[in-house]
């Protein structure tokens, strides 16, 4: 078993986060919660890198469609008018295509964040996937108001500032995908590691 302080998660500041000038604020929120940054880089991703980053299984793609569907139903918007279908399994692939386009639209900032329960704490600091639902005080809840009812009408992905791994297994896979053999740094945080 790894030491609890060695848990790592993968985070990217997405195009809207970079273009809104939020790189520093995103990092600050992790650091002020006693998490430490152990790898960091700005880069322009390739199509393949983004395409391979997001899961390709049907369950995950259908989940994207379900988020659209539940928001449209909750607020009384017309799925048929925007998608020609009410089937989440058919809406999902279209949303995934928009997601890949969105993620290539500006440079990204990728990082590895380490600390106790890093995966869950970073998800909590990020807030709900859909910014209109995200709690005030979270990154998405403080810096975005986006919703599928607007994004899907504009034929684009929901812009929600950052990406962060959902589970420790996903984190391990994503760190490998985005950092490969690059060195993750080691240092002691004042007040945390000593
Ligand atoms: P991420 O994986 O980016 O951290 P997440 O795990 O909270 O976000 P996922 O369900 O993995 O959310 O969705 C991946 C990304 O796809 C979201 O962050 C968002 O940008 C976009 N997205 C999700 N659902 C929709 C939707 N219904 N319509 C448009 N875009 C969506
Ligand atoms: Mg996700």
């Amino acid at each position: 078993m790894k030491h609890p302080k060695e848990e790592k998660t993968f985070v990217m500041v997405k195009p809207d986060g970079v273009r809104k000038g939020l790189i520093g604020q995103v990092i600050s929120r992790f650091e002020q919660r006693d998490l430490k940054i152990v790898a960091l880089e700005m880069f322009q991703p390739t199509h393949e890198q983004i395409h391979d980053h997001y899961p390709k299984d049907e369950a995950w793609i259908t989940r994207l469609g379900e988020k659209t569907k539940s928001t449209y139903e909750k607020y009384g918007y017309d799925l048929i008018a925007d998608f020609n279908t009410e089937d989440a399994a058919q809406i999902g692939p279209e949303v995934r295509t928009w997601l890949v386009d969105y993620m290539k639209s500006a440079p990204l900032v990728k990082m590895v964040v380490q600390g106790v329960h890093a995966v869950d704490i970073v998800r909590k600091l990020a807030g709900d996937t859909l910014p209109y639902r995200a709690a005030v005080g979270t990154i998405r809840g403080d810096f975005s108001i986006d919703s599928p009812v607007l994004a899907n009408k504009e034929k684009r992905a929901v812009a929600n500032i950052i990406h962060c791994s959902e589970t420790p297994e996903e984190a391990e896979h994503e760190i490998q995908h985005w950092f490969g053999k690059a060195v993750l740094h080691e240092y002691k945080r004042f007040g945390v590691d000593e």
Side-chain angles (χ1 to χ4, degrees):
M1 280 296 271
K2 269 190 199 150
H3 190 280
K5 288 181 185 174
E6 286 174 13
E7 183 169 316
K8 294 178 181 67
T9 191
F10 176 74
V11 175
M12 275 195 294
V13 184
K14 293 182 170 184
D16 56 315
V18 170
R19 294 182 57 203
K20 283 178 166 175
L22 294 174
I23 299 165
Q25 298 214 47
V26 167
I27 294 172
S28 285
R29 285 176 183 229
F30 302 145
E31 290 189 323
Q32 78 188 15
R33 198 68 196 269
D34 283 347
L35 293 166
K36 67 182 169 188
I37 309 301
V38 296
L40 179 68
E41 189 189 332
M42 177 177 263
F43 69 108
Q44 178 65 51
T46 64
H47 177 87
E48 282 66 36
Q49 277 178 317
I50 298 294
H51 184 63
D52 292 343
H53 164 72
Y54 284 109
K56 297 184 179 90
D57 58 284
E58 209 180 314
W60 189 87
I61 293 172
T62 300
R63 196 185 68 174
L64 287 180
E66 272 157 7
K67 283 181 197 163
T68 293
K69 192 169 171 173
S70 64
T71 306
Y72 269 60
E73 282 169 358
K74 181 172 175 201
Y75 292 98
Y77 286 92
D78 188 359
L79 270 176
I80 300 283
D82 287 350
F83 289 95
N84 279 322
T85 175
E86 290 183 319
D87 182 1
Q90 288 184 38
I91 296 168
E94 194 165 354
V95 174
R96 194 185 189 280
T97 304
W98 298 335
L99 185 53
V100 173
D101 289 344
Y102 155 57
M103 291 296 283
K104 291 186 307 188
S105 67
L108 306 175
V109 175
K110 63 182 177 182
M111 67 191 91
V112 178
V113 180
Q114 179 176 330
V116 184
H117 301 298
V119 172
D120 285 348
I121 298 291
V122 166
R123 293 289 291 182
K124 200 196 290 249
L125 293 171
D128 195 291
T129 303
L130 305 181
Y132 84 90
R133 281 200 314 220
V136 171
T138 64
I139 294 167
R140 289 162 173 168
D142 285 352
F143 298 117
S144 177
I145 198 176
D146 208 15
S147 162
V149 299
L150 175 63
N152 295 176
K153 200 167 275 307
E154 295 177 348
K155 305 246 169 265
R156 60 172 178 80
V158 167
N160 56 4
I161 318 286
I162 66 168
H163 160 80
C164 44
S165 310
E166 291 175 50
T167 62
E169 296 69 43
E170 192 178 276
E172 214 163 290
H173 174 81
E174 291 180 349
I175 291 168
Q176 180 58 36
H177 178 67
W178 289 105
F179 281 96
K181 291 192 172 58
V183 177
L184 305 184
H185 296 277
E186 285 183 28
Y187 60 97
K188 288 189 182 343
R189 272 281 309 253
F190 284 115
V192 177
D193 295 323
E194 59 183 21

